[in-house]
């Protein structure tokens, strides 16, 4: 499913996912010794320029004073998150403690499907990291 064809989500699902993500982020940030290191990640289609979406993510890192350790994107368009090589690479970096989190422009960089998104939040948490978004879940 993609954002253009998705049905509006119940506000409670958006609120729950946002609260879950923010709690994970707060926990990771609280436990960091030193500067928080994030990787910027966005998802674009094969003919899309990732620069505007990466700039939105960079703006959030700059506002919070977070170190940007990596900048990357996948060109797959809205595919299942498990099929995206750059996202997988960042999860590996999180497991190795090279980064504390992934910073994306919005939820659609991870998934516009709430179940897939929740599963990715769990994978990111299990890797010892967090997800930060430049735009909240209810702003796709």
């Amino acid at each position: 499913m993609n954002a253009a064809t998705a049905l509006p989500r119940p506000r409670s699902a958006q609120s729950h996912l946002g609260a879950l993500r923010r709690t994970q982020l707060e926990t990771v940030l609280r436990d960091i010794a030193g500067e928080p290191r994030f990787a910027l990640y966005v998802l674009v289609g094969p003919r899309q320029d990732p620069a505007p979406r990466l700039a939105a993510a960079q703006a959030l890192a700059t506002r919070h004073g977070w170190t940007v350790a990596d900048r990357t994107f996948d060109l797959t368009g809205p595919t299942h998150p498990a099929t995206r090589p750059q996202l997988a690479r960042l999860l590996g970096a999180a497991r190795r403690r090279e980064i504390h989190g992934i910073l994306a422009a919005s939820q659609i960089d991870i998934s516009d499907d709430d179940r897939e998104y929740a599963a990715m939040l769990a994978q990111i948490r299990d890797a010892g990291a967090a997800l930060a978004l430049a735009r909240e879940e209810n702003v796709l």
Side-chain angles (χ1 to χ4, degrees):
M1 185 178 293
N2 64 46
T5 60
L7 296 174
R9 294 177 293 169
R11 191 166 252 337
S12 61
Q14 293 169 354
S15 297
H16 172 73
L17 290 169
L20 178 63
R21 180 188 54 78
R22 286 186 299 276
T23 298
Q24 286 177 213
L25 179 60
E26 290 166 5
T27 299
V28 167
L29 291 173
R30 183 180 54 241
D31 295 341
I32 292 173
E35 287 185 39
R37 291 182 316 278
F38 281 80
L40 306 184
Y41 172 80
V42 297
L43 176 66
V44 293
R47 291 178 180 76
Q48 286 182 297
D49 180 3
R53 297 186 67 71
L54 286 168
Q58 176 66 58
L60 181 65
T62 300
R63 269 195 315 276
H64 288 287
W66 298 335
T67 298
V68 175
D70 196 356
R71 290 171 179 79
T72 193
F73 56 92
D74 279 311
L75 294 168
T76 61
T79 59
H80 191 282
T83 66
R84 300 189 207 142
Q86 294 305 311
L87 185 56
R89 184 175 67 78
L90 294 180
L91 287 171
R95 283 186 212 93
R96 293 186 301 276
R97 303 296 186 249
E98 295 168 2
I99 60 172
H100 299 109
I102 297 169
L103 200 165
S106 72
Q107 178 186 339
I108 62 171
D109 293 303
I110 305 303
S111 180
D112 63 356
D113 178 273
D114 289 343
R115 288 177 298 222
E116 285 178 1
Y117 182 66
M120 282 306 301
L121 286 176
Q123 283 187 22
I124 293 167
R125 180 201 62 227
D126 292 347
L131 176 67
L133 298 178
R135 287 186 292 275
E136 293 293 315
E137 282 77 5
N138 61 345
V139 184
L140 294 175

